[in-house]
Structure formats: structure tokens, C-alpha cells
């Protein structure tokens, strides 16, 4: 079984102060954190509509998606994502995330998967990450000739993840 999670605007929602905190607790040299801090904190935005333009505002989240260092910083930010356990694995490729469950007994597999997803929800909430559940999907794999019962609903943040027959995963 695979659950493909769509991290909503991954680079745009990275909590800047949370990332700087993680760099510090991971013992990055303080001079490096001081160099990176203005790269993350010095960003502003303004909005315009027709002829009206807002004042400049500071951005408290996000980083330049096209920046050379941004993928590395994103990897640092998700470095402490909960480690899976008991028949569950995790595949991360940039912002694409797949939760992979393997076990011969579907009832036990769903229990393991739901337990991990609950832990993942707590981590996502703590670090202000969002999953676009409507763009996420789940697939069930079985041996040829096996009878597959209709899978029960998997919920993420109280929203059902759609079961599909095919999916695209970059990782």
C-alpha cells in the first residue's frame, strides 16, 4: 500500500524561525546561521490589484524556490520528520512524500499505517507544514490473483484520502 502526500506549497510555507531553530539545534556553525538568516528573513512582498498597491510587508514563511541553497534548507527542515516503524516506510524526494506500508494482513497494515499518519499529523502541525489532502492519494498493491477487499478510508486531518488505481510520484 502506498499513500502519496502532496505537501502544499512546500518551499513557500517553510516556517523561517523554525528552520533557523533547527539549524541551531543541529549544531550548524553560528557564522553559517548568521549568513543564512538574512537570506530567509530579509524577504518582503507587496500586493497589487488594478491600480492599488499595498505597502511592503515582511514574509515570515517561505524561501526562494529557485535558490541554490533552498532544496538543502528544505531537507534540513524536514530532517526530523517522524521515522516510520512496524511495516511502514517513508520515501521523500524534495517535497514529494510517500508513506509505504507492507504487511500480509491488511487489517494490521491499516492499523500500522494509521498510527504513523497520526504521528505525522502531529509533526506537520508543530512545524506548520500543510498537506493538500485533495491532491493526495492512496493505492493498494496485491499479488496477482489475490482477492482485494474494498480498502477502508484513510483520514488525514479528518479528510479522506482518495483511493486511486494509478499515481505519479517523482521520487
Amino acid at each position: 500500500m502506498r499513500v502519496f502526500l502532496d505537501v502544499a506549497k512546500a518551499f513557500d510555507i517553510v516556517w523561517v524561525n523554525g528552520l533557523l531553530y533547527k539549524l541551531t539545534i543541529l549544531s550548524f556553525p553560528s557564522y553559517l546561521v548568521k549568513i543564512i538568516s538574512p537570506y530567509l528573513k530579509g524577504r518582503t512582498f507587496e500586493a497589487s490589484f488594478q491600480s492599488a498597491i499595498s505597502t511592503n510587508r515582511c514574509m515570515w514563511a517561505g524561501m526562494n524556490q529557485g535558490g541554490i541553497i533552498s532544496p538543502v534548507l528544505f531537507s534540513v527542515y524536514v530532517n526530523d520528520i517522524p521515522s516510520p516503524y512496524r511495516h511502514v516506510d517513508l520515501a521523500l524526494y524534495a517535497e514529494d512524500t510517500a508513506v509505504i506500508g507492507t504487511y500480509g494482513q491488511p487489517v494490521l497494515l491499516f492499523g500500522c499505517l494509521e498510527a504513523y499518519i497520526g504521528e505525522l499529523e502531529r509533526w506537520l502541525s508543530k512545524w506548520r507544514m500543510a498537506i493538500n489532502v485533495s491532491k493526495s492519494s492512496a493505492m493498494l498493491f496485491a499479488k496477482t490473483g489475490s482477492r482485494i477487499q474494498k480498502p477502508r478510508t484513510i483520514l488525514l486531518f479528518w479528510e479522506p484520502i482518495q483511493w486511486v488505481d494509478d499515481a505519479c510520484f517523482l521520487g
Side-chain angles (χ1 to χ4, degrees):
M1 174 183 322
R2 310 287 188 269
V3 179
F4 303 103
L5 303 176
D6 181 72
V7 179
K9 302 180 184 201
F11 286 85
D12 296 335
I13 62 169
V14 170
W15 177 31
V16 171
N17 287 336
L19 175 56
L20 292 171
Y21 169 77
K22 288 183 178 193
L23 290 170
T24 303
I25 64 168
L26 289 170
S27 300
F28 273 65
S30 59
Y31 73 88
L32 195 56
V33 176
K34 287 178 184 177
I35 291 170
I36 293 171
S37 182
Y39 172 76
L40 296 170
K41 286 190 166 187
R43 300 178 65 212
T44 60
F45 73 96
E46 65 182 23
S48 64
F49 179 72
Q50 294 176 346
S51 63
I53 299 175
S54 72
T55 58
N56 272 348
R57 305 285 173 117
C58 290
M59 294 178 68
W60 298 105
M63 59 185 154
N64 185 355
Q65 191 165 359
I68 294 172
I69 196 170
S70 295
V72 173
L73 292 174
F74 184 78
S75 293
V76 169
Y77 193 66
V78 299
N79 182 52
D80 63 342
I81 195 167
S83 296
Y85 50 91
R86 294 181 299 167
H87 312 291
V88 177
D89 288 308
L90 187 65
L92 296 169
Y93 181 76
E95 70 271 16
D96 286 335
T97 304
V99 180
I100 304 164
T102 53
Y103 197 57
Q105 298 179 2
V107 173
L108 296 176
L109 175 59
F110 276 96
C112 294
L113 194 61
E114 287 170 339
Y116 179 70
I117 286 177
E119 194 173 329
L120 187 60
E121 284 177 337
R122 288 184 288 281
W123 182 87
L124 291 164
S125 295
K126 177 180 179 179
W127 295 105
R128 304 178 184 183
M129 298 284 293
I131 298 291
N132 188 343
V133 179
S134 65
K135 289 185 178 179
S136 297
S137 60
M139 290 179 68
L140 187 60
F141 296 86
K143 293 179 185 175
T144 305
S146 298
R147 294 181 116 191
I148 301 175
Q149 295 179 351
K150 183 179 178 187
R152 70 184 194 215
T153 303
I154 297 174
L155 298 176
L156 183 65
F157 293 111
W158 304 280
E159 288 185 57
I161 296 174
Q162 179 183 358
W163 285 98
V164 298
D165 293 327
D166 57 31
C168 178
F169 180 67
L170 297 177

